[in-house]
Amino acid sequence: MLNDQAERDLFSEEHNMFRDQVKKFIAAEVLPYHDEWDEKGVVTKEVWHKAGEAGMLCPTVSEAYSGPGADFLFSTIVIEEMARVGASGPGFNIHSEMAAPYVSEFGNEKQKHQWLPKFVSGQAVLGIAMSEPDAGSDLKRIATTAKKDGNEYVINGQKVFISNGQIGDVFIVAAKTDKDNSSNSMSLFLVESNRKGFSRGKNLKKIGAKAQDTSELFFDNVRIPEKNLIGPSEGNGFRQLMHGLARERLAIAVGCVAKAEGALGNTLDYIVERELFGKKLYDFQNTQFKLAEVRSDLLVGRSLVDQLLSQYLKGRLRVDVAASAKLWTSEMLGRTVDTCLQIFGGWGYMWEFPIAKAYAEARVERIAGGSSEVMKSIIIKSLFKDLGIKAEFN
Ligand SMILES: Cc1cc2nc3c(=O)[nH]c(=O)nc-3n(C[C@H](O)[C@H](O)[C@H](O)COP(=O)(O)OP(=O)(O)OC[C@H]3O[C@@H](n4cnc5c(N)ncnc54)[C@H](O)[C@@H]3O)c2cc1C
């Protein structure tokens, strides 16, 4: 049966109960407002606070820092349920799974006590600011600098495409602490949005996920205390980012499979309603065969993701394997939404139909969090390493 969570061995009764709560939360607090958020290009802070109260933010943060201290499957449940119904507005996933782990894994005790409780409650919305106008895939090229001045750092530069950029209260900012392009030249900093010299650019207009705010950020001599450096010393930023990317890509893969499941669910609802040439849309063999292909892709995707979740929980998820999962599931999602939209005909192209939104939203999965091409370069480097061949990219 579609979306039958009972078939998933990884999830316990406790997980299933949490899933029910999350579904109820989304039905009551997210979906009724989503169209309005789409129009405004941003969600309210209120939904963040409510999600915090419901235990949906940063589920893996330990109880010592006011977190639920749950396992990554609780995070998975939030990602899946939001993704399956197209609730792309609230950037919970970016906050909880892509940004907060830099504090929980690399932050010192003071930083953890200061920030993690606020991330868990939603009192502080977090973003991760790596990308710049001239540096996305090639992160070592970033031009933002952090120069030490007494017991402060002075940050100058510009970021772009930053999720939660309009509503974020604090950002993890990648900046150069050294002039060269080596992996030791970058550091990560916590930068609060109320610092003098920090400003947000416009809310960028995207083709999909319109309720999710995406911004430019500007840093004009922004002074932050040296205690905002993440990690024991300068120069660890690149390694910290690489460490976090396996988890981030698994989280994206989880979302891609759930989004594809949502698209199939929508399409199944539609084919039983739509009539043409004196038949139901489901009577056509083309419809049946296309959906059989989609269903098979979904089973493969679900099996892959569950296998990798299991590896992650045991601390054994490899970076190249996470890259393969992100590559395959995001490409699979692209195929799925395209096939499903075609089955809707012209209605599938209309914004009011969830499949149209799903189609537009799906496109970013092959780009953000590392593009498909970057995933391929990670995979091939690992494959060739075993052969003693160094993969060069040009
Ligand atoms: C909606 C959205 C949200 C985002 N959110 C965030 C965020 O919160 N924080 C953040 O820091 N960034 C964010 N990003 C940025 C995202 O991570 C980058 O867009 C992505 O890493 C690609 O970088 P780029 O856009 O600069 O493309 P480029 O790096 O300029 O790439 C251009 C093309 O070259 C290809 N390419 C790259 N490497 C190779 C190679 N080795 N061989 C062949 N081709 C290659 C790319 O795949 C792409 O097709 C977001 C982007 C979007 C669209």
Side-chain angles (χ1 to χ4, degrees), residues 25 60 93 101 185 203 209 220 253 273 280 288 303 322 341 366:
F25 179 90
T60 57
N93 190 15
S185 62
N203 194 0
D220 180 11
E273 296 297 328
K280 290 280 190 181
Q288 297 165 6
S303 308
L341 189 150
R366 284 180 268 165

Side-chain angles (χ1 to χ4, degrees), residues 53-358:
E53 280 166 25
M56 284 171 57
L57 301 179
C58 303
T60 57
V61 165
S62 105
E63 287 162 352
Y65 310 107
S66 310
D71 63 38
F72 189 67
L73 295 178
F74 284 83
S75 305
T76 301
I77 288 166
V78 178
I79 298 167
E80 287 181 342
E81 295 311 321
M82 295 285 285
R84 190 172 291 119
V85 295
S88 56
F92 298 158
N93 190 15
I94 293 134
H95 170 97
S96 303
E97 311 308 333
M98 298 178 192
Y102 292 106
V103 179
S104 49
E105 289 182 29
F106 302 111
N108 58 38
E109 280 304 306
K110 270 193 175 165
Q111 289 167 339
K112 289 183 193 181
H113 282 291
Q114 181 183 357
W115 288 110
L116 293 176
K118 291 182 185 155
F119 298 157
V120 169
S121 67
Q123 293 306 313
V125 173
L126 180 63
I128 172 117
M130 302 183 277
S131 304
E132 299 186 0
D134 293 323
S137 311
D138 189 1
L139 258 189
K140 287 183 186 163
R141 281 194 56 181
I142 60 165
T144 298
T145 54
K147 290 210 174 96
K148 193 83 185 281
D149 183 23
N151 55 4
E152 291 181 321
Y153 281 98
V154 185
I155 302 191
N156 278 291
Q158 178 183 352
K159 298 290 175 181
V160 75
F161 303 146
I162 307 308
S163 305
N164 296 341
Q166 293 287 308
I167 57 168
D169 300 292
V170 56
F171 295 92
I172 290 172
V173 177
K176 284 275 173 73
T177 34
D178 230 320
K179 282 204 179 77
D180 63 23
N181 270 358
S182 79
S183 47
N184 297 325
S185 62
M186 194 189 292
S187 305
L188 300 183
F189 298 91
L190 279 153
V191 181
E192 302 91 333
S193 61
N194 58 4
R195 294 270 169 200
K196 194 165 169 253
F198 171 89
S199 60
R200 308 171 203 265
K202 55 183 182 290
N203 194 0
L204 298 168
K205 289 206 179 303
K206 308 189 295 298
I207 63 170
K210 290 176 190 286
Q212 160 86 94
D213 55 309
T214 310
S215 303
E216 299 167 300
L217 302 179
F218 299 99
F219 304 83
D220 180 11
N221 285 316
V222 177
R223 286 186 169 269
I224 55 165
E226 63 182 349
K227 70 179 172 68
N228 282 22
L229 170 70
I230 297 178
S233 55
E234 290 177 8
N236 292 305
F238 195 72
R239 279 182 293 278
Q240 289 164 342
L241 288 173
M242 294 305 111
H243 174 87
L245 287 176
R247 174 190 175 118
E248 176 174 334
R249 282 163 190 160
L250 173 59
I252 294 172
V254 164
C256 285
V257 173
K259 284 178 189 184
E261 286 170 348
L264 176 57
N266 278 327
T267 312
L268 292 175
D269 289 343
Y270 188 70
I271 58 170
V272 296
E273 296 297 328
R274 185 71 175 172
E275 292 180 10
L276 60 167
F277 299 109
K279 294 181 187 176
K280 290 280 190 181
L281 185 48
Y282 63 71
D283 284 319
F284 294 90
Q285 194 182 53
N286 178 64
T287 310
Q288 297 165 6
F289 281 10
K290 287 290 175 197
L291 293 182
E293 286 169 15
V294 167
R295 169 68 166 154
S296 304
D297 260 354
L298 285 180
L299 283 177
V300 176
R302 169 60 73 73
S303 308
L304 171 68
V305 156
D306 279 3
Q307 163 91 3
L308 267 52
L309 282 169
S310 175
Q311 290 177 5
Y312 180 77
L313 292 171
K314 292 176 192 148
R316 293 210 309 251
L317 177 62
R318 283 171 32 184
V319 170
D320 62 308
V321 173
S324 287
K326 200 238 171 204
L327 172 66
W328 192 87
T329 55
S330 60
E331 303 273 343
M332 180 276 285
L333 174 61
R335 283 197 296 280
T336 300
V337 290
D338 190 59
T339 301
C340 290
L341 189 150
Q342 187 69 18
I343 290 172
F344 276 76
W347 294 111
Y349 199 66
M350 297 299 122
W351 190 248
E352 74 219 56
F353 274 68
I355 193 64
K357 293 180 183 165

